[in-house]
Amino acid sequence: MHRPAQRVGRAPRLTRILVSAAAVPVVLVAAGCSSDSGSDSSSGDNANAAQSADATSTASPSASASAVAAAAYSTLPEPCAALSKKTLGDLVPKGLKSAKTAKSDDADTRGSCSWNSLDNNGVDGSQFRWLNVALLRFDSDAARGEGNQLAQTYYEKQVKDAQAISGAKNTKSEPVAGVGDEATVVRYDLKKKEGTFKQQTVVTRVENVVVTVDYNGAGLAGDKTPSADDLTKAAQKAAKEAVAAVATTNKDSSRATTAPTKSASPSKSASPSKSASPSKSATKSATPSKSATKKS
């Protein structure tokens, strides 16, 4: 049986962040001066004008250099650990071991993880599922703006991109309540030679982080097409859980940063804490239990 492509539709590309640096206009305040024609005090007037200009130029940088609000979140959860085993068991029941992390040059800024599941029932057909969770975080920047604003712009673009997939049929979009600060689900059908794929894309913004969940399913080799409503509910559940993981990760990170250390024991304070070892927790969360993989 020909195996369908893992990625149906167009999930977000993390290596392409369409946030360009905006040029900051420099406002020059000119100090005007006036003098009476033929007056001997013109030099004094010019000196006063120069002093006024100096005072203006001195005050100007402090106004233009006013700091933008700091971004709410400073890190991201490990993508493959953003969802619980239970949720993964519901969405990709045959794919708990299939987790694949996309390469990232900055794990605190961007990351993604995907899973695929194929429930092969022989002559009765098969059920295919594919899930991808992508996270992108924006820092506040004096030149570009606040992290929330940058995330808002990217959020809107992600929604538009999902709505403009080539070959999509029956495209529908609607807001999602209770997920992050704002969320939208875009759903559509894609017909492939293997069958009709039901695609759901949930894009959500929480503060300065954008979470995109792509989830699709198909009945292959004659098996029935899955319910789009059921797939949508599952995708929204995954998005809500990923958003919660962002908040939890930053809360734990804040505690680790502000935790008091014993001044008399520098060696202990210098040693890494358990909370600073994501590799072990990520490995455990990404590793399926025996009971979850016993069935073939």
Side-chain angles (χ1 to χ4, degrees):
M1 180 184 70
H2 184 274
R3 184 172 180 176
Q6 286 189 357
R7 196 176 190 85
V8 178
R10 190 169 65 191
R13 299 178 180 176
L14 298 177
T15 55
R16 184 179 61 187
I17 306 176
L18 299 179
V19 181
S20 60
V24 179
V26 178
V27 180
L28 298 179
V29 181
C33 63
S34 61
S35 61
D36 294 334
S37 176
S39 173
D40 292 338
S41 62
S42 59
S43 59
D45 291 338
N46 290 337
N48 291 335
Q51 291 177 357
S52 177
D54 289 341
T56 303
S57 62
T58 302
S60 181
S62 61
S64 61
S66 57
V68 296
Y73 297 128
S74 60
T75 188
L76 293 174
E78 201 285 314
C80 291
L83 303 180
S84 66
K85 288 183 181 179
K86 183 180 185 306
T87 297
L88 291 173
D90 292 339
L91 273 65
V92 283
K94 299 293 182 179
L96 287 173
K97 288 184 176 181
S98 66
K100 292 183 179 180
T101 306
K103 292 182 179 180
S104 173
D105 57 355
D106 187 355
D108 285 335
T109 301
R110 63 185 67 86
S112 70
C113 188
S114 64
W115 299 260
N116 64 79
S117 173
L118 181 64
D119 186 5
N120 192 341
N121 298 311
V123 295
D124 293 328
S126 303
Q127 285 292 321
F128 175 78
R129 299 289 186 274
W130 181 81
L131 172 67
N132 188 81
V133 176
L135 306 102
L136 189 61
R137 186 183 64 82
F138 294 85
D139 281 319
S140 292
D141 185 274
R144 296 182 300 166
E146 295 183 4
N148 283 20
Q149 296 173 342
L150 298 174
Q152 173 71 27
T153 300
Y154 183 75
Y155 163 82
E156 293 173 356
K157 184 183 183 305
Q158 284 288 87
V159 173
K160 289 181 180 179
D161 285 350
Q163 294 169 334
I165 295 298
S166 177
K169 303 294 183 182
N170 304 319
T171 302
K172 297 179 181 179
S173 302
E174 59 185 9
V176 180
V179 181
D181 294 318
E182 54 188 327
T184 300
V185 59
V186 181
R187 46 193 278 188
Y188 51 85
D189 299 339
L190 275 177
K191 288 188 177 181
K192 300 289 183 178
K193 63 181 181 180
E194 298 88 350
T196 299
F197 289 78
K198 298 286 185 179
Q199 170 73 31
Q200 342 296 314
T201 299
V202 180
V203 186
T204 182
R205 180 186 68 82
V206 54
E207 298 286 359
N208 58 311
V209 175
V210 176
V211 177
T212 304
V213 173
D214 284 295
Y215 185 49
N216 66 57
L220 308 179
D223 205 346
K224 65 179 181 179
T225 301
S227 166
D229 289 339
D230 291 343
L231 295 178
T232 299
K233 290 179 181 178
Q236 291 176 357
K237 177 184 177 181
K240 188 173 184 178
E241 194 167 304
V243 167
V246 172
T248 300
T249 299
N250 282 271
K251 184 178 180 181
D252 292 344
S253 176
S254 176
R255 286 178 176 177
T257 302
T258 58
T261 58
K262 295 182 179 180
S263 57
S265 305
S267 59
K268 291 184 178 181
S269 61
S271 61
S273 62
K274 293 182 179 180
S275 60
S277 303
S279 58
K280 291 185 178 180
S281 59
T283 303
K284 290 183 178 179
S285 59
T287 304
S289 60
K290 294 183 179 180
S291 60
T293 58
K294 189 174 182 181
K295 295 182 180 180
S296 58

